[in-house]
Amino acid sequence: MKKNLANIVSGARIVAAAFLYIFPTIDWRFLVIYTFCGITDLIDGPIARKFNSTSAIGSVLDTVGDIVTYMALAKILLVQHFVPSWVVIWMIITGLGDLAAGLLSLAKCKKFFIVHSLFGKILGGSIFLFPFALKIIEAIGVETELSAHICMGAICVISTIAAIESFVIQTKITDPETKVKTICGFIRYCKNQ
């Protein structure tokens, strides 16, 4: 049971995230389920490491959970017209940058992986907090659409930095379990090679 606990947590997140698609707006019910998805995303990795049960399937489940959760959020934002087309294009381009980094690792190491870099973590946290920021902006009476666009612009910048950071790190890294998570760590890694 302990060996599968992380995968069970990730699977529960995928099931919960699927329920997010039934909501037409970001309301308290959406936020409760969304918060559950965020908490399970935070704990599945530490659980896997604690019980020495990290696995390829666990990594896939974690990624699928992220995709299902954030696509549900994107669906609502697109339906409510909070997301301008430039944001969608920008996020697709940075996503392609991550894909290119993974393909680079596949060509070099015969294994597809994407380094979970510092800015990647910051990006994930920023995207996760976005609907809560929208609700706070709405509650204090600030113009929601403009504020949402400013927040999304910041997320796009973080996304770009994360994609560049990940790609640069993966130009030299050959081990998916590497501890290199930042450009500074990358520089130290290169000096020690």
Side-chain angles (χ1 to χ4, degrees):
M1 177 68 168
K2 289 179 182 178
K3 285 283 188 188
N4 293 323
L5 185 57
N7 290 347
I8 292 168
V9 169
S10 294
R13 176 163 48 115
I14 293 168
V15 171
F19 281 101
L20 294 174
Y21 287 85
I22 66 173
F23 297 101
T25 62
I26 298 170
D27 62 12
W28 69 270
R29 297 166 301 168
F30 176 92
L31 290 176
V32 166
I33 296 170
Y34 186 76
T35 300
F36 173 81
C37 292
I39 291 169
T40 55
D41 187 26
L42 286 175
I43 66 172
D44 61 356
I47 289 171
R49 287 185 290 280
K50 178 176 173 62
F51 295 116
N52 197 25
S53 61
T54 57
S55 66
I57 188 73
S59 179
V60 169
L61 287 172
D62 185 49
T63 300
V64 169
D66 289 345
I67 291 168
V68 174
T69 301
Y70 293 126
M71 291 305 292
L73 175 61
K75 178 205 101 149
I76 289 176
L77 295 174
L78 287 167
V79 167
Q80 291 183 337
H81 305 291
F82 277 129
V83 180
S85 58
W86 65 265
V87 170
V88 174
I89 293 167
W90 194 317
M91 295 305 281
I92 288 170
I93 290 170
T94 58
L96 290 173
D98 283 337
L99 177 62
L103 292 173
L104 175 66
S105 66
L106 181 62
K108 285 176 37 185
C109 313
K110 308 298 183 241
K111 183 171 185 175
F112 183 91
F113 68 91
I114 296 173
V115 172
H116 294 283
S117 67
L118 173 64
F119 271 92
K121 299 287 186 190
I122 293 169
L123 174 63
S126 300
I127 293 171
F128 177 74
L129 292 174
F130 183 69
F132 297 100
L134 280 179
K135 293 312 272 182
I136 292 168
I137 289 166
E138 185 180 288
I140 60 176
V142 176
E143 204 279 298
T144 308
E145 189 173 338
L146 176 62
S147 300
H149 287 204
I150 291 169
C151 290
M152 283 185 279
I155 288 171
C156 286
V157 169
I158 295 168
S159 176
T160 302
I161 295 169
I164 292 168
E165 180 181 52
S166 183
F167 190 84
V168 167
I169 290 170
Q170 285 187 239
T171 60
K172 289 276 188 189
I173 300 302
T174 57
D175 178 13
E177 300 302 318
T178 184
K179 301 297 182 221
V180 176
K181 306 291 182 196
T182 65
I183 293 296
C184 292
F186 172 74
I187 293 168
R188 283 193 299 277
Y189 175 86
C190 290
K191 285 181 181 177
N192 293 330
Q193 292 297 328

